[in-house]
C-alpha cells in the first residue's frame, strides 16, 4: 500500500496533490485545478481586512488625481496644487468637524452656515470693531464653538433629532449671516488690513506650503491622537457605536455629544478665519451649500452614517477627493451646477453603498467564507458483517469498561503516565486525572481553558497538550500549565494572517525531543471545525515546536485536515492522519530519507482521527465516523455543497458523518490487522483516540461522556511506551 | 392608530388635542394682530392671507402624507419646482395644456418612485435620501432641461392662470384648490384602505409588515402621492404669479412646509395627526407670516423667526412623542 509520492528538500512544503487518483485524465486534472482556485475566498479574506475600508476611498482619490493629471493640462502644476492646498485645508477642517460629529452618531448640516457666519464675523471684528487680529481670531473661534454648542445643546440635552435640528439651525445661522451682510456689506466687501499676522494667515507659507495647510496637518495629528488614543476619543466612538452601551458603561453621553458639536463649530470657525484672511472679503453666499460637499466628502471617505466608525484621515481623504474633483472640473470648464449635481448623485450612491455594506458585510463574508472544493474518493471498503473485508464490523467494544461516566465531557485524547494514572482533556478546558485501581478517583489535574485535545508526555514527565483555540501548552507534574507556543511563522503569500494557532489538534514527541503537532485547520475554530469538512480544502499544517529554542515553525503547510500525529517506531518519521482524505501520510523528519513525504495508507472506510503506536510494532488508528456514499458523492460536487449552504438552513446540511466509528490496528507495513467496533455507537460514538497501556486499550471520544477501556488479548504482557520513543529501539516495546 | 384609541380613552375634564391648542393659538394671535396691527383685519387682507398660504397648505398636505407614514420628503419643493418649470416650458411651445400638465405629473411621479426606491429598497434614511434627491433632480434639471432660472407662463394658458388668480363666488380659486386637496386627502387617509395602511405604516412599520401590509411598495406610493400633491401646489404658485422662479427650490419654502406640518401636530414619529392638523398649522403660519409682513420684517428676519419657531416645535414634538433615543438610526 505504501506508495512513494514525492521527495523534496526540507522546509515549508506542500503535500502531495490532494487526492488525485492515479492515471487521471487531463480533463480531470484541469477540473481539480479549477476547483483549487478560490477567487471567492480571496475576496472574502480581502474584505475581512481592516485596511480594506480606507483603501477604497484612497483608491478613489488616487483615481481622481491620476484622471485629472492626464485629462487636464493645468492640473498637475505646482501652482495649481498649491492654490488647491489652501482651499483643501479649509474644506478638510470643516470635514473633520463633521466627521467627529458623525462618529458620535450625529450629523451637523449647519457647517456651511457656521463657516460663513464665522467668516463674516472675523471680518467685522477687524474692520468694524477694530479688534487686533489675534484677539479677533480667538473671539471668532469662541463664536464658532458657541454656534456648535447651540446645536449640541439642542441635540444632546433637549434630545431633538440631529438631522432636522442642524437643518433648521442652518437656516437660522444663514439668516443671521444675511442680516449682517445686509447691514454691513460696505465694510465686508473688501478689507485692507495692515497686520502681519493677517497676511500670514492668508498668504503665509511654511516651506512653500500654505500656512492653513500646515495648520490642517497639525489638526489632523491632534485629531488622530484624540480620536484613537485618548479617553475622550474612545468615548466619542463608543457613543456613536452604541449609545445605550456607552451610557451603561458610565459615559456621560450628553456631554460627549455636546463636545462633538462644539468641536465641529470651532473647526468651522477656524476654516472661516482662513477663508476670510485668504480672500479678505465676506459675503452672504460664503459657505452656501457647503454641507453637501462636506457630507459627500465625509461619507465618500468611508465614515459610516451609523456612527462609531471613522478616522480623521478618512475625512481628509474624502475632502481631498471632493476638492480635487471640483478643481479639476473647474479646469475642464464644467459649471458649478454640474459639480453640485454630480455631488448629489455621488452622495446618494455612497450612502446607499455605506448602508448596504454595513448591513450585509458580515452576511456576505459569512456566505462566502466556506469554499467547497473537489475531493474524489475511491469506493470505500466494505465493512458489513460477513463481507470478509479487513474492516468488518464486530462487537468487540461492546464490553468496554467505562471510566468516569458522566464526570468527563469530551475527552478527545487520553494518555497514561508512568504510574498508570489516566489523563484526559475536557470540554471545560480542564485536564482530568483518574487514579486508583479502577480509576475511581477523579481530580482536576489542571485548568487551562480552550478545549484540550492531543496529549503526550515528554522526557521530563511534563504533559504536553494541544489546546484547541489556544495553542501548545505543557503541564508540569504538579499541575502547573505553561504556554509553549501559540504562533508560528506567517505565510506571507496569504492575505489572511495565519500566524496564530487556531486549532492545534494532536501531537507527538520525536526522540530528539521536538514536539510535532498538527493544526487541523487555520480557517475555522473549535466551534465550527466541521465546516472544514464541507470545504475539504487543504487548510491545515504540520508544525514543530523545538523546546531547545522555544520556537515553532511550520513544517508542512496545505494539508487537508491533519489530525493524528504519531512518531513512527523507526524514530525518524511521522504518521499524519488526514481526516477528510481518509489517508495517512508518512513524513521523514530525519535520517537518510529526510524531507520525504509519502502515502502510508489510503482509502479508509471512515474519517481518521488520532494515531498511536501499539506495543507490537504496529499502530492504532481511530476512525471517528464512517464515510457514506452520499457524502462521498457530495464531496465530488463542490457546487452542490455551495448551493446547499446557500439555500437551506445550517442544521439541514449534509455533513461528514461523525457518529460511530471504530479503532483499527495496522502493521508497520500498512496492513490492517484488527478492528474494534461499537456498532451503533452506544458507549463509544465518535471515537477520536485510543491509547494502549499495560495490556489495555483506553478509548476517548470528542463528544463522549466517558473513557472506555478493554483488555487486549494476546499482547497482554507487552508494554507500549507512551512517552518519547527510544531512538535505539526499533520496534518499540518493553519498558 | 392612536387617534382611534384616543376615542375610547376616558376623558376627565377638558383635554385638548394638539390641533385644538394650535387653533386656540391661531385665534389668540389673530385677535392680537387685529388690535395691534393696522390693516390686518380687513376682508381684503384676510383673503389675501388665505390665498397666499394656500399653496403652502397644499404642499404641506403632500408632506403630511409621508410624515404620517414616518417619512420625510425634503425634496418636495424641488420636485414641485422642477416639474412645474418643465410644464411651463412645454406650455411655451405648441404643446397643449393637458399634455404639458401630464408631463409634469409624470416627472413628479418618477421623482416619487425614485425617493421610494431609495428609502424602501436601498434603505437610506428618508432625510438623507430626499435631501440628496432634491439636490440631484434640481441639478439635473438645471443642467439639462431648464432654460433659465425663471419659467414664465404664457398668457394664453388660462387654466393655470385661473388656478392661481381666478375666483369662484368671490372666493379665490387657490383657497378652493387647497380645500379640495385637503378634503380628498382626508378622505383617502381616513376612509380608504390605502390611508389606513399609511397610518399603520407610520405607527409601527414592523407590525404593519407582519400583518401583511406591503410596506415597501406602500412607501413608494406615499412618496408618489406626496410629490403629486406637491405638483398641484406648484401649479397654483405658477398661476398666481404668472410663472415660476426655480430659485424657490433653494429658498426656505421647505422649512415653511415642515413648520406647518410639525406645528399642526403631525408628529415626526409617524401615525399621528390628520389633514386637519395641516389646516390649522397653515392657518397659524399664515397669520404669522402675514403679521410679520405687516411688521415690515425682511426675508432674513422672517427666516430667523421661522427657524426658531420650528426649532422649538421640533423640541416640543420630541417631548410630546419621545423616541427611544438609544436605539434610533441615523436620520430617523
Amino acid at each position: 500500500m505504501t506508495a512513494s509520492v514525492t521527495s523534496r528538500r526540507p522546509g515549508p512544503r506542500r503535500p502531495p496533490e490532494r487526492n488525485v487518483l492515479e492515471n487521471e485524465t487531463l480533463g480531470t486534472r484541469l477540473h481539480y485545478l479549477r476547483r483549487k482556485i478560490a477567487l471567492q475566498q480571496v475576496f472574502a479574506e480581502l474584505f475581512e481586512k481592516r485596511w480594506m475600508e480606507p483603501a477604497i476611498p484612497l483608491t478613489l482619490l488616487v483615481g481622481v488625481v491620476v484622471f485629472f493629471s492626464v485629462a487636464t493640462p493645468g492640473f498637475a502644476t505646482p501652482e495649481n496644487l498649491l492654490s488647491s492646498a489652501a482651499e483643501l485645508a479649509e474644506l478638510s477642517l470643516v470635514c473633520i468637524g463633521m466627521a467627529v460629529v458623525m462618529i458620535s452618531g450625529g450629523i451637523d448640516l449647519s457647517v456651511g452656515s457656521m463657516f460663513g457666519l464665522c467668516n463674516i464675523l472675523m471680518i467685522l471684528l477687524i474692520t468694524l470693531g477694530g479688534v487686533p487680529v489675534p484677539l479677533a481670531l480667538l473671539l471668532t473661534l469662541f463664536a464658532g464653538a458657541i454656534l456648535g454648542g447651540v446645536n449640541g445643546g439642542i441635540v444632546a440635552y433637549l434630545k431633538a433629532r440631529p438631522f432636522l435640528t442642524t437643518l433648521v439651525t442652518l437656516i437660522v445661522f444663514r439668516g443671521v449671516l444675511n442680516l449682517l451682510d445686509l447691514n454691513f456689506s460696505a465694510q465686508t466687501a473688501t478689507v485692507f488690513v495692515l497686520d502681519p499676522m493677517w497676511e500670514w494667515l492668508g498668504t503665509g507659507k511654511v516651506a512653500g506650503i500654505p500656512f492653513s495647510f500646515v495648520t490642517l496637518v497639525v489638526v489632523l495629528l491632534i485629531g488622530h491622537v484624540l480620536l484613537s488614543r485618548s479617553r475622550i476619543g474612545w468615548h466619542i466612538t463608543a457613543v456613536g457605536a452604541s449609545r445605550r452601551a456607552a451610557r451603561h458603561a458610565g459615559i456621560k453621553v450628553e456631554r460627549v455629544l455636546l463636545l462633538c458639536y462644539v468641536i465641529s463649530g470651532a473647526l468651522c470657525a477656524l476654516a472661516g478665519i482662513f477663508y476670510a484672511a485668504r480672500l479678505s472679503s465676506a459675503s452672504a453666499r460664503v459657505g452656501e451649500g457647503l454641507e453637501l460637499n462636506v457630507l459627500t466628502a465625509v461619507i465618500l471617505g468611508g465614515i459610516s452614517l451609523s456612527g462609531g466608525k471613522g478616522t480623521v484621515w478618512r475625512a481628509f481623504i474624502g475632502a481631498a477627493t471632493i476638492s480635487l474633483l471640483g478643481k479639476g472640473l473647474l479646469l475642464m470648464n464644467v459649471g458649478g451646477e454640474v459639480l453640485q449635481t454630480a455631488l448629489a448623485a455621488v452622495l446618494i450612491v455612497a450612502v446607499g453603498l455605506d448602508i448596504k455594506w454595513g448591513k450585509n458585510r458580515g452576511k456576505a463574508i459569512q456566505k462566502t467564507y466556506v469554499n467547497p472544493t473537489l475531493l474524489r474518493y475511491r469506493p470505500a471498503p466494505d465493512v458489513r458483517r460477513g463481507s470478509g473485508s479487513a474492516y468488518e464490523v464486530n462487537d468487540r467494544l461492546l464490553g468496554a469498561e467505562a471510566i468516569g461516566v458522566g464526570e468527563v465531557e469530551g475527552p478527545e485524547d487520553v494518555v497514561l503516565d508512568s504510574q498508570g494514572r489516566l489523563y484526559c482533556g475536557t470540554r471545560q478546558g480542564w485536564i482530568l486525572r483518574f487514579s486508583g485501581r479502577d480509576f475511581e478517583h477523579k481530580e482536576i489535574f489542571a485548568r487551562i481553558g480552550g478545549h484540550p485535545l492531543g496529549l503526550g508526555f515528554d522526557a521530563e514527565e511534563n504533559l504536553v497538550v494541544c489546546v484547541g483555540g489556544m495553542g501548545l501548552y505543557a503541564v508540569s507534574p504538579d499541575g502547573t500549565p505553561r504556554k509553549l507556543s501559540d504562533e508560528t511563522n506567517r505565510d506571507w503569500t496569504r492575505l489572511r494572517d495565519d500566524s496564530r494557532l487556531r486549532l492545534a489538534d494532536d501531537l507527538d514527541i520525536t526522540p530528539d525531543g521536538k514536539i510535532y503537532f498538527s493544526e487541523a485547520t487555520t480557517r475555522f475554530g473549535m466551534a465550527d471545525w466541521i465546516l472544514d469538512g464541507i470545504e475539504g480544502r487543504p487548510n491545515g499544517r504540520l508544525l514543530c515546536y523545538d523546546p531547545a529554542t522555544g520556537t515553532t515553525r511550520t513544517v508542512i503547510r496545505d494539508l487537508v485536515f491533519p489530525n493524528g500525529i504519531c512518531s513512527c517506531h523507526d524514530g525518524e518519521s511521522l504518521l499524519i492522519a488526514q481526516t477528510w482524505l481518509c489517508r495517512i501520510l508518512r513524513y521523514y523528519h530525519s535520517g537518510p530519507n529526510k524531507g520525504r513525504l509519502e502515502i502510508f495508507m489510503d482509502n479508509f472506510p471512515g474519517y481518521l482521527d488520532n494515531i498511536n503506536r501499539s506495543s507490537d510494532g504496529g499502530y492504532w488508528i481511530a476512525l471517528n465516523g464512517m464515510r457514506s456514499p452520499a457524502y462521498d458523492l457530495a464531496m465530488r460536487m463542490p457546487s452542490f455543497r455551495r448551493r446547499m449552504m446557500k439555500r437551506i438552513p445550517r442544521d439541514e446540511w449534509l455533513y461528514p458523518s461523525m457518529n460511530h466509528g471504530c479503532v483499527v490496528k495496522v502493521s508497520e507495513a500498512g496492513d490492517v490487522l484488527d478492528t474494534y467496533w461499537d456498532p451503533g455507537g452506544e458507549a463509544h460514538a465518535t471515537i477520536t483516540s485510543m491509547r494502549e497501556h499495560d495490556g489495555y486499550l483506553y478509548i476517548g471520544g470528542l463528544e463522549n461522556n466517558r473513557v472506555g477501556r478493554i483488555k487486549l488479548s494476546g499482547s497482554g504482557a507487552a508494554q507500549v511506551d507512551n512517552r518519547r520513543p527510544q531512538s535505539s529501539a526499533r520496534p518499540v516495546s518493553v519498558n | 392608530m392612536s387617534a382611534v384609541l384616543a376615542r375610547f380613552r376616558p376623558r376627565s375634564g377638558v383635554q385638548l388635542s394638539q390641533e385644538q391648542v394650535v387653533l386656540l393659538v391661531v385665534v389668540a394671535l389673530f385677535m392680537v394682530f387685529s388690535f395691534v396691527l393696522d390693516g390686518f383685519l380687513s376682508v381684503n387682507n384676510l383673503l389675501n392671507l388665505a390665498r397666499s398660504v394656500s399653496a403652502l397648505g397644499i404642499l404641506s398636505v403632500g408632506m403630511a402624507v409621508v410624515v404620517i407614514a414616518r417619512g420625510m420628503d425634503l425634496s418636495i419643493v424641488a420636485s414641485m419646482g422642477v416639474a412645474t418649470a418643465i410644464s411651463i416650458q412645454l406650455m411655451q411651445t405648441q404643446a397643449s395644456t393637458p399634455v404639458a400638465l401630464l408631463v409634469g405629473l409624470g416627472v413628479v411621479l418618477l421623482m416619487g418612485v425614485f425617493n421610494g426606491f431609495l428609502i424602501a429598497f436601498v434603505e437610506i434614511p428618508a432625510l438623507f435620501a430626499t435631501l440628496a434627491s432634491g439636490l440631484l433632480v434640481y441639478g439635473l434639471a438645471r443642467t439639462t432641461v431648464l432654460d433659465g432660472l425663471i419659467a414664465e407662463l404664457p398668457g394664453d394658458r388660462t387654466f393655470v392662470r385661473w388656478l392661481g388668480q381666478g375666483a369662484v363666488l368671490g372666493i379665490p380659486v387657490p383657497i378652493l384648490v387647497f380645500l379640495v386637496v385637503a378634503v380628498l386627502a382626508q378622505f383617502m387617509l381616513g376612509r380608504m384602505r390605502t390611508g389606513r395602511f399609511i397610518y399603520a405604516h407610520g405607527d409601527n412599520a414592523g407590525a404593519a409588515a407582519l400583518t401583511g401590509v406591503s410596506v415597501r411598495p406602500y412607501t413608494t406610493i406615499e412618496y408618489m402621492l406626496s410629490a403629486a400633491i406637491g405638483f398641484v401646489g406648484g401649479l397654483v404658485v405658477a398661476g398666481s404669479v404668472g410663472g415660476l422662479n426655480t430659485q424657490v427650490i433653494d429658498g426656505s419654502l421647505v422649512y415653511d412646509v415642515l413648520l406647518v406640518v410639525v406645528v399642526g401636530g403631525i408628529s415626526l414619529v409617524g401615525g399621528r395627526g390628520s389633514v386637519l392638523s395641516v389646516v390649522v398649522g397653515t392657518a397659524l403660519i399664515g397669520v404669522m407670516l402675514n403679521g410679520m409682513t405687516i411688521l415690515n420684517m425682511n426675508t432674513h428676519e422672517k427666516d430667523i423667526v421661522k427657524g426658531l419657531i420650528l426649532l422649538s416645535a421640533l423640541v416640543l414634538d420630541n417631548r410630546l412623542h419621545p423616541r427611544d433615543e438609544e436605539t434610533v438610526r441615523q436620520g430617523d
Side-chain angles (χ1 to χ4, degrees), chain A residues 493-513:
Chain A
T493 60
R494 299 268 161 89
L495 276 170
R496 194 167 37 87
D497 183 354
D498 58 357
S499 55
R500 288 276 148 184
L501 304 182
R502 289 186 80 172
L503 194 59
D505 198 326
D506 192 24
L507 64 94
D508 207 352
I509 303 165
T510 52
D512 53 5

Side-chain angles (χ1 to χ4, degrees), chain A residues 106 159 243 247 305 359, chain B residues 123 128 252 318 325-326 330:
Chain A
K159 309 216 178 299
R243 192 170 293 192
R247 194 188 301 282
L305 267 184
K359 193 177 163 193
Chain B
E123 295 173 3
F128 275 99
S252 62
N318 210 43
E325 216 216 333
E326 296 184 338
Q330 174 69 271

Side-chain angles (χ1 to χ4, degrees), chain A residues 270-301:
Chain A
L270 189 58
I273 291 166
F274 280 122
Y275 187 85
R278 186 160 62 88
L279 297 187
S280 278
S281 77
S283 86
R285 301 203 61 110
V286 171
E288 217 171 46
L290 184 69
E291 62 278 353
L292 173 68
N293 298 25
V294 173
L295 203 57
T296 313
V298 169
I299 290 175
L300 209 58

